[in-house]
Amino acid sequence: MTVTRHHKWYWVCQAIGWTFYLFIGLLMSFLWFKKQQGMYSVQFVGTGIFLVLTHLQRHFSHRYRWIDLPIGKLVLLVLAYNAAASMVCQVLVSMFMLSIGLFTWQEYSFGYLVMYSANGLVILSFWSTLYFAFQAVQRWKQKEVEAYKLQLSLREAELQAIRSQLNPHFLFNSLNNIRSLVLVDQNKAREMITRLSAMMRYVIGYNRNNLVSVAEELEFLDNYVALEKIHFEDKLQFSAQVDTEAKKAAIPPLGIQLLVENAIKHGIGTKLEGGRIHLSLHRQNGHLQVQVENTGTLAVAASSSKGIGIERLLERVSHSLEQKGAFALAQTSEHLVTATLTLPFKEYENLHH
């Protein structure tokens, strides 16, 4: 349900509910207070005040995110608000009744105030129960939709991973390079076969998890870079600086590798002389910052375009970590391009306990 449609139905329900309440009040006034014509206007005033107070409760709920509170705190907060609101309502109604002469100050009893306030508390609490129950159902439906979108996003990411990270060209180059190594250095060839096997196992198996630790991702990246170095030989220089704290963070699988692959494809791979890539990961202000610097020149159009791979990655970040990530690509010096991925920092172990 869209926000506009939700808002519309809220007012429809408010109108129907409080009109019904007003009808009951007018009927009771007709049956029991026939000689006090002013009681009809009292019913209109009381219903109007209840309408305003319930709408004010909705406003506070939205502004201060009451629905995010634990159920115990939410119940206590709503009861406290309803008790205070009911008391305010009865005081205002009593003042109105005094002003139109339904009774005098001498006839007024504090017991009536307490009795009618208790009655108002029941009515307001009934409204709150219906309102927050509806909000809970809406939130549950929203989470179901987000979970479905996440499944679709992960499936697309898996296909993208096979086509991109382990595309036929990469596999062909790796196998061809390993075949050449067999004749030159058998130990090195066996090592590369082991690395390629570990990479394929990681890609095939990661779809069981929405997230992996940075430490796991770096192991995969180490195998990937080792295989790429065989292809580029001395043209590819890779270095990394990773904070110990950053290794504990959770990250969508193949998130770091995607940045390095783009640096190789659009930076190093376009230069005959090759170049260098430097990876840095650190924790900063509650975020995990992943930076990949590579030799190259950034096209003007590329600086404003994320590409489908990065867009899918940011979607996975938003769904899996429940907060949005950010990506920036900039020419940081004459021959240096820097890609920066900023994610919410959440420890992988804490998310899987």
Side-chain angles (χ1 to χ4, degrees), residues 234-245:
D234 295 334
K235 293 181 180 180
L236 173 57
Q237 302 174 33
F238 181 83
S239 61
Q241 181 182 3
V242 183
D243 293 347
T244 303
E245 192 75 9

Side-chain angles (χ1 to χ4, degrees), residues 79-121:
L79 284 176
Y81 175 88
N82 287 341
S86 179
M87 184 69 72
V88 169
C89 178
Q90 297 310 318
V91 168
L92 293 176
V93 169
S94 297
M95 292 176 64
F96 176 76
M97 294 174 71
L98 283 168
S99 68
I100 61 176
L102 286 178
F103 57 79
T104 64
W105 281 109
Q106 290 75 19
E107 297 172 329
Y108 187 74
S109 171
F110 182 74
Y112 288 141
L113 178 64
V114 173
M115 181 180 66
Y116 285 113
S117 294
N119 181 61
L121 174 61

Side-chain angles (χ1 to χ4, degrees), residues 11-176:
W11 280 113
V12 169
C13 292
Q14 280 282 75
I16 294 174
W18 289 116
T19 298
F20 178 75
Y21 175 81
L22 175 61
F23 173 77
I24 297 298
L26 292 174
L27 180 61
M28 292 175 64
S29 296
F30 174 76
L31 295 175
W32 296 335
F33 301 101
K34 292 181 179 180
K35 296 181 180 181
Q36 294 178 304
Q37 298 297 320
M39 288 300 297
Y40 295 117
S41 59
V42 170
Q43 297 298 336
F44 278 97
V45 171
T47 301
I49 294 173
F50 272 147
L51 173 62
V52 172
L53 290 173
T54 52
H55 184 65
L56 189 61
Q57 181 178 149
R58 176 178 181 267
H59 170 74
F60 287 145
S61 173
H62 282 200
R63 182 170 182 178
Y64 299 107
R65 305 294 302 171
W66 288 8
I67 195 68
D68 292 334
L69 294 173
I71 185 65
K73 290 185 178 180
L74 176 61
V75 170
L76 290 176
L77 179 61
V78 170
L79 284 176
Y81 175 88
N82 287 341
S86 179
M87 184 69 72
V88 169
C89 178
Q90 297 310 318
V91 168
L92 293 176
V93 169
S94 297
M95 292 176 64
F96 176 76
M97 294 174 71
L98 283 168
S99 68
I100 61 176
L102 286 178
F103 57 79
T104 64
W105 281 109
Q106 290 75 19
E107 297 172 329
Y108 187 74
S109 171
F110 182 74
Y112 288 141
L113 178 64
V114 173
M115 181 180 66
Y116 285 113
S117 294
N119 181 61
L121 174 61
V122 173
I123 294 170
L124 291 176
S125 296
F126 178 73
W127 182 95
S128 300
T129 300
L130 293 179
Y131 177 76
F132 285 104
F134 176 79
Q135 292 296 312
V137 171
Q138 287 296 106
R139 170 166 286 202
W140 175 76
K141 288 183 178 179
Q142 184 179 359
K143 287 186 176 181
E144 287 289 307
V145 171
E146 289 178 354
Y148 178 70
K149 287 182 178 179
L150 175 58
Q151 290 180 350
L152 292 179
S153 179
L154 288 174
R155 289 180 184 274
E156 291 178 3
E158 290 162 16
L159 292 175
Q160 181 68 16
I162 294 173
R163 293 169 182 161
S164 165
Q165 276 75 11
L166 291 180
N167 59 56
H169 293 290
F170 174 79
L171 290 174
F172 174 79
N173 290 334
S174 298
L175 292 172
N176 195 44

